Amino acid sequence: MQIPKEIDEILRRLESAGYEAYLVGGCVRDRCMGKEPHDYDVTTSAFPNEMKRVFITERVIETGLKHGTLTVLTAIGGVEITTFRQEGSYSDHRHPDQVQFTRALKEDLARRDFTVNAMAMDRRGVIADPFGGQADLADGIIRCVGDPRRRVEEDALRILRGLRFSSRLGFAIAEETAAAMEEKAPLLHFIAQERIFSELCGLVLGKDCAAVLHRHRRVVQTVLPELSLDGALERLKGTPAKETLRFAALLMDSGEETAGVVLSRLKVPTAFRKEVLLFIRESPKPCEKTKKAVHARCARIGAEAFLKLAVFWGKDEFYAQTVAELKKEKACLSLKELAVDGKDIQALGYSGTAVGQALNILFEKVITEELPNQKELLLSYIKK
Ligand code: ATP
Ligand code: MG
């Protein structure tokens, strides 16, 4: 697998200025697994001001420079280059109190979370792996670098990162690491809900999420105490890897109200929350397999949400085909397609909230196919 030439050029520039430079973290892990990385991180012995000098002719973003990160803008997007760092103590269980730059690669790798994430590779493909990342990769194991108790105590988010990697890669968590995660799980209360949510997303999207949730349920229960896991595990296995669908599968048995409480606490975006709650509410009521029923349901909840929801009702192609037909016929699936609008209603003498009410009555009649979607007929109906 070739390193993209833009990345190789960055490594070459640092090297020819006399510094060490490596790919590091997720991109090395992915490449060792034969997977194309989704982005490349570079680490170097050059200190921040030295990096700046090496890339003086390039377009860069300096916002992270205090923490040792310079972003170089290339044809394939921004590439983050970070000075080798050591991290000091962590008093808030999340952020190091101070970072210290170092010239030693090994010290930088030692601060990283898991052995499979603590490897570096130079532009010739030579791998530095002081903590046995390649062996753990081959055995399919997520293992903390160093003493797991200390490492998860420093930064409790690592607990959920570990579960996420386990779920995504299908790796087991090493026994001692898993024990430390369970013991220190209460420290997750120090972590911002947004970060927890983002890791949970990765976790539920992973191919092994059901197994990971089951194996590490005591950890999961500290962030989702409301969860009733038994039904969720089976359901998750059959649910496509879309975030809202997976969250709905996860929270279905807890009921809509509890799910709402969980999602509020996790501070999920409103649209996300609405969609999950809609799935939880609607999925126990499969749509009848008639065009009329599909039409009515699509109009109530929106065609896009309907199509996602349909996966809970079995693989049937019928729903997808019927929605496609309805769209092709320009069927009335929302107020937009109704043959009359607010102005038409006002022309009949309605005003204020009565306009919206009249539109909704007509919409309801059209989607239940009691009235055809034709202007004259609708207006004469509402005139009465
Ligand atoms: P992904 O493919 O999900 O991006 P990644 O391994 O690149 O996986 P990132 O969150 O992008 O994960 O982090 C990049 C690297 O930084 C990690 O591989 C790891 O070496 C290090 N890292 C990130 N977060 C932490 C953390 N909380 N504690 C220690 N090291 C971390
Ligand atoms: Mg990454």
Side-chain angles (χ1 to χ4, degrees):
M1 210 185 303
Q2 209 82 54
I3 301 174
K5 64 176 191 304
E6 291 78 3
I7 307 288
D8 187 62
E9 174 61 13
I10 287 174
L11 297 175
R12 197 193 59 75
R13 290 268 288 266
L14 286 161
E15 279 193 2
S16 56
Y19 303 106
E20 290 179 47
Y22 306 88
L23 300 177
V24 71
C27 65
V28 179
R29 178 196 69 224
D30 289 347
R31 288 177 59 97
C32 287
M33 297 179 76
K35 283 193 279 195
E36 192 75 53
H38 62 85
D39 59 11
Y40 285 84
D41 291 320
V42 172
T43 188
T44 178
S45 61
F47 280 13
N49 282 329
E50 297 168 337
M51 287 197 287
K52 252 175 78 174
R53 240 173 284 137
V54 173
F55 297 101
I56 195 92
T57 56
E58 305 302 309
R59 291 171 56 217
V60 299
I61 302 173
E62 291 187 20
T63 39
L65 210 58
K66 265 204 325 280
H67 301 107
T69 301
L70 183 71
T71 304
V72 175
L73 300 173
T74 74
I76 56 167
V79 178
E80 290 194 349
I81 309 173
T82 305
T83 304
F84 297 160
R85 287 183 347 195
Q86 264 177 310
E87 291 173 353
S89 49
Y90 289 66
S91 33
D92 66 352
H93 304 291
R94 174 72 191 109
H95 306 98
D97 299 328
Q98 73 274 340
V99 300
Q100 225 172 352
F101 302 124
T102 162
R103 298 282 187 191
L105 172 65
K106 188 174 171 186
E107 288 176 335
D108 181 90
L109 296 177
R111 74 171 168 92
R112 295 177 181 270
D113 48 6
F114 304 109
T115 59
V116 295
N117 289 345
M119 298 186 279
M121 189 184 104
D122 74 9
R123 54 188 291 261
R124 284 159 291 274
V126 178
I127 290 183
D129 177 20
F131 302 104
Q134 289 178 99
D136 283 340
L137 213 50
D139 296 340
I141 290 178
I142 300 294
R143 184 194 314 276
C144 278
V145 174
D147 171 22
R149 280 197 177 68
R150 214 195 88 213
R151 301 312 309 288
V152 303
E153 196 169 275
E154 285 173 352
D155 177 1
L157 189 67
R158 289 174 189 151
I159 298 172
L160 293 182
R161 286 178 58 86
L163 265 51
R164 162 163 73 87
F165 287 120
S166 173
S167 169
R168 176 163 101 200
L169 304 173
F171 285 13
I173 300 181
E175 209 172 305
E176 246 194 283
T177 297
M181 287 173 166
E182 198 167 297
E183 183 188 318
K184 304 291 181 190
L187 296 178
L188 282 166
H189 295 303
F190 288 93
I191 304 296
Q193 293 292 333
E194 292 88 340
R195 301 307 309 264
I196 292 181
F197 171 60
S198 136
E199 294 301 331
L200 286 177
C201 280
L203 168 54
V204 297
L205 288 180
K207 60 177 178 195
D208 249 7
C209 69
V212 170
L213 289 169
H214 176 67
R215 249 183 265 139
H216 304 285
R217 59 192 167 282
R218 279 197 287 273
V219 171
V220 175
Q221 267 153 11
T222 56
V223 287
L224 298 172
E226 301 88 349
L227 202 60
S228 58
L229 211 49
D230 291 344
L233 296 182
E234 262 325 294
R235 202 173 284 112
L236 277 168
K237 285 182 195 158
T239 307
K242 288 248 169 29
E243 287 175 0
T244 49
L245 284 173
R246 288 276 170 101
F247 261 88
L250 186 69
L251 298 172
M252 192 87 69
D253 288 343
S254 313
E256 189 184 343
E257 195 178 327
T258 305
V261 170
V262 172
L263 296 169
S264 300
R265 188 180 61 237
L266 292 173
K267 301 189 177 153
V268 311
T270 308
F272 187 101
R273 173 194 152 87
K274 280 194 177 151
E275 190 157 289
V276 173
L277 294 181
L278 177 82
F279 292 160
I280 292 177
R281 189 161 59 238
E282 297 285 328
S283 75
K285 304 171 273 179
C287 180
E288 207 185 298
K289 284 191 187 151
T290 64
K291 191 168 176 181
K292 188 174 165 180
V294 172
H295 186 174
R297 191 75 81 93
C298 278
R300 286 209 182 89
I301 69 175
E304 301 320 309
F306 177 87
L307 286 173
K308 289 189 205 158
L309 183 61
V311 306
F312 287 113
W313 303 326
K315 292 199 184 77
D316 205 317
E317 279 295 289
F318 174 82
Y319 295 122
Q321 265 173 26
T322 310
V323 172
E325 269 173 43
L326 286 165
K327 282 189 175 168
K328 203 162 146 212
E329 294 163 10
K330 301 214 173 4
C332 182
L333 293 176
S334 71
L335 278 177
K336 267 205 318 265
E337 293 94 16
L338 194 66
V340 299
D341 62 16
K343 284 209 188 81
D344 300 324
I345 303 290
Q346 278 168 339
L348 296 179
Y350 287 83
S351 66
T353 53
V355 177
Q357 281 166 3
L359 283 173
N360 280 329
I361 290 169
L362 293 177
F363 183 60
E364 192 62 29
K365 293 283 172 196
V366 169
I367 67 179
T368 52
E369 299 184 2
E370 285 171 62
L371 285 175
N373 191 18
Q374 290 169 10
K375 191 165 176 176
E376 274 69 47
L377 286 169
L378 295 179
L379 289 178
S380 75
Y381 176 85
I382 206 75
K383 236 185 263 173
K384 285 186 245 163

